[in-house]
Amino acid sequence: MARIISDRLLQRLQAFVLHPLTAVAAILLCATFLYALERAVEHMPFVMLSVLGIAAVLFLVSCRLYFSLYAALAATALISVISVMKYRTKGFDLHVYDFVFTGTDTKAFAFLIDGFAIYIAPVAVLLICCAIALSLVFAWDGKRELSAIKRSALVAATFLLIPVSYPLKADEPRYFHYLGGFNASAFFVSFLDLRDAAIGRGFADRFAGMPDVKPFAAAGPCDTAGSRPDIFIVLSESQTDLGQFNQHGLAEQFGGRFRSADGKRRELRVETFGGGTWISNFSLMTGLSSLDFGWRAPYLTTAMEGKVQQSLATELSRCGYRTAVLMPMDHGFVNEGPFLESIGFDEVLDYDRIGASEYAHPDRFYFEAARTFIEDHRRTDGRPLFLQVQTMFAHSPYGNHLADSDQDAFAQSGNSELDEYVRRVAQSQRDFDWYLAQAKAESANHPSIVLEFGDHQSFATRELVNHLYPDFAVDKLTSSAYRTYFTIHPMGAEVDMKPFEFASLDIGYLGVSLLESVGLATSPMFADLAALRDRCDGRLHFCADRAAVDRHLQKRIASGHLTVD
């Protein structure tokens, strides 16, 4: 009896699922859901035609009409949900290249699983449920008696209509679309980037038709007669100047923080929000703006490996420095280790080499690992040292209480993620003080300069920044969303602060400003970059004299310092 009832229920369910009205209702419900994620009615024809394109391809292969339609709707909805999650944490919509960039990078995939399981698990469950449901529909849905020619014609007709509905203007850069939170259309728009990459459209196109330029003169020997202090750069992960916020007691707690040794606050302009540390580090080390590479910006550590021949590391190596970077991730994570080695770093101290056991150690762990390396270097190597220390503790997600809450007293905001973030930043800043104290204690025998900077803002402070700065907009690269800080701390070394004295300094100029501040003779390429900084008042990609920026880039290419597609 129970089996008979079960069979009848399955039959009714099958009849319901395979009914034309149910299919129409599913289309309308999915369209409404996608519109809620897209928030732009003019984009919806493109979105729905993309759904139809997927369905047409599946129908061509399977001959099953309802299965093809439901599978296309489910796939588009899942892609859009994943894009929302990525956008909220990284400020950049899902791109087709993410499946290459992350899907083939086991280290990046492991990091996502370890740190973002709270986001991934629900999607995985939803994916399994969809797979089960679609398997039933596939079994129920009979093949249609429609010839392959007619099914192919349906695919062709659909793919001819999709370009007509393309949501951007013909000359509108797609990069800004991915910053806009258009989560239902962005993934499908991104296929055009693969097309352009395949046919060779890219960075080099901007120079087509421009007059030739002379290459830079060859770099002569570095004047090493003067002082060569050790140079330490600290990448303060996900940190921003919390002293600027007059809410929840943050201004009182952090008012004395995020200042250089001279007591000044200094603003840094970066080119990523919420994530993408390697994007900021790329610009710091190369003196290039990631924005000039368009949609490739999040993937430059892969795309530009072996293509940048002069960098902050090569400049300091020319002046006799040993160059190293300490990173909390595995060597191959987003290809950053190989990229850094390709631009001249002697050593990359990665997750395994520093003995890490998790991705979110307190920053004191990384500073102690750096001190071990520094002490060994001074025993065994007479060269001055250039060392970057990348930290990790303030990175998202903020669902776990990792910070030592007993050390700090501040008004609770009512937002648990914000409160956890603030506690982590406070603990990280105390750890940075410890690192500075070590450098100061050794300054008599080992003068040094410590440059600290925030690589990007955290999404945990989004509401605070939005309240403080009305111009806040992730899809507007000149907005306050891309504003962080940097600090300079001389330890027994003479430092000229003039190269840092700009109302706002783009991160691409931070490296050359550091070189100038310690009086190191720069190569012709870096000297030209410094002149460009002064001409552009600290702006790089958005320099008012954009032609000057392009001439500098052309000269890099002509000199063999930069290879572009």
Side-chain angles (χ1 to χ4, degrees), residues 23-300:
V24 171
I27 292 171
L28 293 176
L29 284 172
C30 187
T32 302
F33 175 71
L34 295 175
Y35 170 72
L37 301 185
E38 185 75 8
R39 296 171 292 105
V41 67
E42 65 274 18
H43 297 175
M44 292 311 295
F46 174 79
V47 172
M48 296 313 295
L49 280 169
S50 297
V51 174
L52 183 58
I54 297 172
V57 171
L58 291 173
F59 185 54
L60 173 64
V61 175
S62 70
C63 298
R64 288 168 166 82
L65 179 61
Y66 287 102
F67 166 78
S68 300
L69 177 61
Y70 291 138
L73 293 173
T76 306
L78 278 170
I79 286 169
S80 300
V81 167
I82 295 169
S83 184
V84 169
M85 291 181 175
K86 182 188 174 189
Y87 184 77
R88 287 183 177 178
T89 56
K90 303 298 182 184
F92 199 81
D93 289 320
L94 186 68
H95 193 286
V96 65
Y97 200 59
D98 287 322
F99 289 92
V100 178
F101 188 65
T102 302
T104 60
D105 185 341
T106 56
K107 302 300 184 184
F109 192 73
F111 171 70
L112 290 175
I113 293 295
D114 181 74
F116 293 89
I118 190 173
Y119 299 109
I120 296 173
V123 174
V125 171
L126 187 59
L127 184 61
I128 293 170
C129 292
C130 285
I132 293 171
L134 289 172
S135 297
L136 286 174
V137 176
F138 184 88
W140 292 339
D141 193 14
K143 289 187 176 182
R144 304 286 162 161
E145 296 298 330
L146 196 65
S147 68
I149 293 177
K150 291 182 179 179
R151 299 198 309 275
S152 298
L154 178 62
V155 173
T158 305
F159 278 82
L160 285 173
L161 287 172
I162 289 175
V164 177
S165 64
Y166 180 62
L168 280 71
K169 296 177 182 177
D171 59 347
E172 186 177 351
R174 292 185 289 273
Y175 182 75
F176 297 98
H177 189 76
Y178 310 138
L179 292 172
F182 299 117
N183 294 293
S185 65
F187 180 77
F188 299 111
V189 168
S190 72
F191 276 89
L192 293 177
D193 293 327
L194 294 188
R195 179 205 65 183
D196 289 354
I199 65 178
R201 291 183 185 174
F203 181 87
D205 292 340
R206 70 183 307 117
F207 306 116
M210 294 178 64
D212 293 336
V213 296
K214 293 182 179 179
F216 292 117
C222 180
D223 181 8
T224 58
S227 172
R228 290 183 296 165
D230 289 334
I231 297 175
F232 303 126
I233 293 180
V234 174
L235 186 158
S236 289
E237 173 64 47
S238 299
Q239 293 191 43
T240 191
D241 183 355
L242 292 177
Q244 65 186 309
F245 300 119
N246 58 2
Q247 297 151 286
H248 313 304
L250 295 177
E252 291 78 11
Q253 182 180 359
F254 293 97
R257 295 285 185 180
F258 308 104
R259 297 176 184 269
S260 296
D262 59 5
K264 291 185 179 181
R265 298 181 183 272
R266 289 181 168 84
E267 182 176 296
L268 184 68
R269 287 277 181 174
V270 297
E271 298 173 346
T272 182
F273 173 84
T277 296
W278 58 93
I279 299 175
S280 293
N281 210 36
F282 171 89
S283 293
L284 167 67
M285 295 301 175
T286 65
L288 296 166
S289 169
S290 67
L291 302 181
D292 285 332
F293 295 84
W295 68 270
R296 291 177 174 84
Y299 316 108
L300 289 175

Side-chain angles (χ1 to χ4, degrees), residues 304-521:
M304 296 304 292
E305 180 185 355
K307 296 181 179 180
V308 181
Q309 305 306 323
Q310 276 202 290
S311 69
L312 184 58
T314 60
E315 198 75 353
L316 288 165
S317 292
R318 188 175 64 87
C319 292
Y321 279 76
R322 181 186 183 185
T323 60
V325 58
L326 186 152
M327 53 191 286
M329 311 304 291
D330 295 281
H331 180 267
F333 178 78
V334 299
N335 203 53
E336 188 171 22
F339 172 76
L340 292 172
E341 289 167 341
S342 80
I343 63 170
F345 274 92
D346 298 325
E347 296 173 79
V348 175
L349 312 174
D350 74 341
Y351 180 97
D352 291 324
R353 187 165 170 186
I354 63 176
S357 58
E358 56 186 344
Y359 289 116
H361 283 289
D363 289 352
R364 177 71 174 262
F365 172 85
Y366 305 111
F367 291 137
E368 288 180 348
R371 288 301 312 170
T372 298
F373 178 78
I374 292 167
E375 291 163 6
D376 180 73
H377 164 80
R378 287 173 177 166
R379 284 193 304 267
T380 60
D381 196 315
R383 291 175 292 174
L385 177 63
F386 168 48
L387 173 66
Q388 182 191 44
V389 181
Q390 299 181 14
T391 66
M392 193 64 182
F393 193 56
H395 195 285
S396 62
Y398 306 111
N400 296 327
H401 296 297
L402 303 180
D404 183 357
S405 57
D406 295 335
Q407 292 291 319
D408 301 286
F410 63 94
Q412 298 290 314
S413 69
N415 181 328
S416 60
E417 289 194 337
L418 174 60
D419 292 343
E420 172 65 13
Y421 171 73
V422 170
R423 283 191 291 265
R424 290 191 198 180
V425 171
Q427 183 170 331
S428 294
Q429 284 292 306
R430 289 196 301 273
D431 291 347
F432 177 62
D433 286 345
W434 178 87
Y435 186 65
L436 283 180
Q438 306 306 302
K440 184 176 181 180
E442 299 178 337
S443 59
N445 296 322
H446 299 285
S448 64
I449 176 173
V450 182
L451 184 154
E452 180 219 9
F453 74 98
D455 59 331
H456 55 72
Q457 291 186 35
S458 166
F459 67 84
T461 61
R462 185 169 184 161
E463 290 184 8
L464 293 179
V465 180
N466 195 20
H467 174 78
L468 185 63
Y469 301 108
D471 75 321
F472 179 91
V474 175
D475 60 345
K476 186 179 179 183
L477 292 161
T478 56
S479 84
S480 54
Y482 298 93
R483 179 185 301 168
T484 65
Y485 73 96
F486 69 96
T487 63
I488 308 295
H489 305 273
M491 299 294 176
E494 293 186 7
V495 174
D496 180 6
M497 290 293 194
K498 185 177 179 181
F500 303 113
E501 298 301 330
F502 293 88
S504 181
L505 186 67
D506 279 14
I507 192 168
Y509 293 127
L510 193 56
V512 69
S513 298
L514 177 62
L515 292 173
E516 284 192 317
S517 73
V518 295
L520 290 173

